[in-house]
């Protein structure tokens, strides 16, 4: 289990620099230009932590790195992290990991999106390895069965209630038609729509995503248009009305292993906000690299020194 510290960077930078404050200011300035960085940063934490732990392996550029894998092709926010990293490096060079910046930036995203502030522990180090095939194996597809999803999360120390709560991140952001097209036209190869989808939602999504269209349009994951960009419990209220957009979103309300948690979270926004913060902290503790493992990257997009592996012994 991760044993980082709250305020790990206190006293580690020149001139009493407050690293968390720099990240906060950087992210909130960028939010001013684009409010959709809130979902981008939340998803980035999830996709980083699920593959090799929270080690910033998703940020590495290169052939066949995680970010080139199909589940990551719509992941956004790399530029937001780059800017936060360069703002931090300016005041405190070589000290703060990209892995921690992802976690701090996701916390700011929650706050900017209307969620609760929570303390984050820091002290993570950056990983040296990033493989596309691991991202393909470990990141869940939209139609993952609930049982498989439970197993996937449990493998990483996250229980059923953590899983349901974390999927509540779908209270913000969008999905592309390709992520739910089957539910509209060919659910489980039946040639029909998913019978569990609310009919008004079905018609509206068919309008957004015409069959055989080559445009991969987008729909809000939270179908309450008043709070589609707000971190709140409305996603859970919507899925109880059969208004889940992704297969997994609807299934967690329909499955007896998960629907009790859905009910609790749908009933009380402040319970959701508290549990969501706690679940993100838990997600942020998955397989963390601590000193002396890993490194502190200079640029979040490449490992320090030569990004290519050393030549085999005997070769110049
Ligand atoms: C079984 C679990 C999950 C599955 C199957 C899943 C799947 C997906 C899919 C398919 C999309 C849409 C991608 C697209 O079409 O562009 C998406 C979006 C998103 N996911 Fe998840 N997800 C899961 C859990 C999570 C968790 C745990 C988080 C964060 C804690 C998260 C945060 C997000 C966010 C914020 C978006 C919107 C991104 C944007 O607007 O750019 N998801 N997810």
């Amino acid at each position: 289990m991760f044993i980082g510290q709250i305020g790990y960077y206190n006293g580690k930078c020149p001139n009493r620099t407050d690293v968390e404050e720099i990240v906060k200011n950087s992210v909130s300035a960028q939010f001013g230009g684009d409010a959709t960085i809130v979902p981008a940063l939340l998803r980035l934490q999830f996709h980083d932590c699920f593959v090799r732990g929270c080690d910033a392996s998703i940020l590495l550029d290169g052939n066949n790195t995680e970010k080139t894998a199909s589940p990551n092709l719509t992941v956004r926010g790399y530029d937001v992290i780059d800017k936060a990293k360069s703002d931090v490096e300016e005041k405190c060079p070589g000290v703060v990991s990209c892995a921690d910046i992802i976690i701090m930036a996701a916390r700011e995203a929650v706050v900017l999106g209307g969620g609760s502030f929570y303390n984050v522990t820091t002290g993570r180090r950056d990983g040296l390895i990033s493989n596309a095939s691991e991202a393909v194996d470990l990141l869940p597809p939209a139609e993952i069965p609930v049982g498989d999803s439970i197993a996937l999360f449990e493998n990483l120390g996250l229980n059923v209630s953590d899983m349901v709560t974390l999927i509540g991140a779908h209270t913000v952001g969008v999905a592309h038609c390709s992520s739910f097209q089957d539910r509209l036209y060919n659910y489980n190869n039946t040639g029909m729509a998913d019978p569990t989808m609310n009919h008004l939602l079905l018609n509206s999504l068919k309008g957004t995503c015409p069959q055989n269209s080559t445009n991969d349009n987008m729909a809000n994951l939270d179908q309450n248009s008043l709070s589609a960009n707000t971190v709140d419990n409305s996603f859970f209220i919507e899925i109880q009305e059969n208004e889940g957009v992704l297969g997994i979103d609807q299934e967690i309300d329909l499955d007896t292993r998960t629907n009790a948690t859905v009910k609790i979270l749908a009933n009380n926004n402040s319970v959701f906000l508290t549990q969501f913060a706690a679940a993100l902290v838990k997600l942020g503790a998955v397989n963390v690299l601590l000193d002396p493992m890993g490194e502190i990257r200079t640029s979040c997009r490449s490992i320090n020194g030569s990004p290519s592996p050393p030549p085999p012994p005997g070769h110049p």
Side-chain angles (χ1 to χ4, degrees):
M1 196 61 189
F2 179 41
I3 40 159
Q5 248 171 273
I6 292 171
Y8 172 83
Y9 292 110
N10 293 348
K12 293 194 169 59
C13 294
N15 305 320
R16 297 169 164 251
T17 297
D18 182 338
V19 170
E20 297 192 24
E21 185 73 12
I22 297 177
V23 173
K24 175 183 167 181
N25 292 338
S26 182
V27 172
S28 74
Q30 298 184 73
F31 173 80
D34 176 8
T36 76
I37 70 168
V38 169
L41 292 170
L42 273 169
R43 191 166 182 226
L44 197 58
Q45 176 177 337
F46 171 46
H47 284 217
D48 183 37
C49 293
F50 258 51
V51 184
R52 291 191 166 269
C54 312
D55 69 341
S57 53
I58 195 173
L59 302 181
L60 290 172
D61 284 341
N63 288 336
N64 280 317
T65 57
E66 288 170 27
K67 62 166 61 159
T68 70
S70 55
N72 283 331
L73 294 181
T74 54
V75 168
R76 309 176 291 121
Y78 300 113
D79 49 335
V80 181
I81 301 294
D82 286 341
K83 176 73 175 106
K85 172 71 169 172
S86 72
D87 290 350
V88 167
E89 288 294 294
E90 209 172 281
K91 296 272 166 30
C92 183
V95 172
V96 182
S97 68
C98 299
D100 279 339
I101 290 177
I102 292 176
I103 300 295
M104 292 186 267
R107 186 258 307 273
E108 296 315 325
V110 170
V111 173
L112 290 165
S116 301
F117 175 88
Y118 53 96
N119 285 315
V120 293
T121 52
T122 39
R124 294 169 191 77
R125 310 252 306 166
D126 296 325
L128 305 172
I129 299 167
S130 178
N131 289 321
S133 60
E134 294 177 342
V136 171
D137 289 347
L138 294 167
L139 294 168
E143 64 286 354
I144 188 173
V146 171
D148 293 4
S149 185
I150 290 173
L152 189 64
F153 278 72
E154 270 179 354
N155 261 333
L156 299 176
L158 300 163
N159 63 30
V160 177
S161 154
D162 298 328
M163 180 189 89
V164 172
T165 309
L166 285 168
I167 294 175
H170 292 168
T171 179
V172 287
V174 292
H176 289 79
C177 296
S178 49
S179 295
F180 54 85
Q181 191 93 358
D182 282 2
R183 296 190 71 209
L184 311 182
Y185 302 107
N186 191 20
Y187 177 67
N188 283 349
N189 290 320
T190 55
M192 317 266 277
D194 184 340
T196 66
M197 186 182 281
N198 173 298
H199 279 232
L200 290 175
L201 176 63
L202 178 64
N203 287 335
S204 133
L205 291 180
K206 281 182 163 175
T208 308
C209 308
Q211 199 167 16
N212 305 323
S213 164
T214 50
N215 278 352
D216 202 4
N217 291 333
M218 291 177 281
N220 288 334
L221 285 165
D222 179 349
Q223 280 294 314
N224 177 343
S225 57
L226 296 176
S227 80
N229 303 311
T230 306
V231 175
D232 63 10
N233 69 338
S234 72
F235 165 82
F236 291 104
I237 297 170
E238 295 301 313
I239 62 175
Q240 289 185 325
E241 309 282 328
N242 294 328
E243 297 216 338
V245 173
L246 302 178
I248 188 67
D249 294 350
Q250 196 55 62
E251 288 304 318
I252 57 172
D253 179 59
L254 298 172
D255 196 290
T256 51
R257 290 165 288 189
T258 45
N259 70 355
T261 307
V262 168
K263 209 171 267 171
I264 291 167
L265 299 174
N267 279 343
N268 191 322
N269 190 43
S270 64
V271 168
F272 166 68
L273 292 180
T274 308
Q275 307 254 7
F276 188 54
L280 284 169
V281 168
K282 220 168 150 183
L283 175 65
V286 170
N287 293 336
V288 164
L289 297 177
L290 291 175
D291 201 11
M293 287 173 344
E295 65 174 9
I296 305 296
R297 279 182 216 150
T298 308
S299 153
C300 289
R301 291 176 181 265
S302 57
I303 59 172
N304 294 345
S306 162
S308 48
H315 287 251

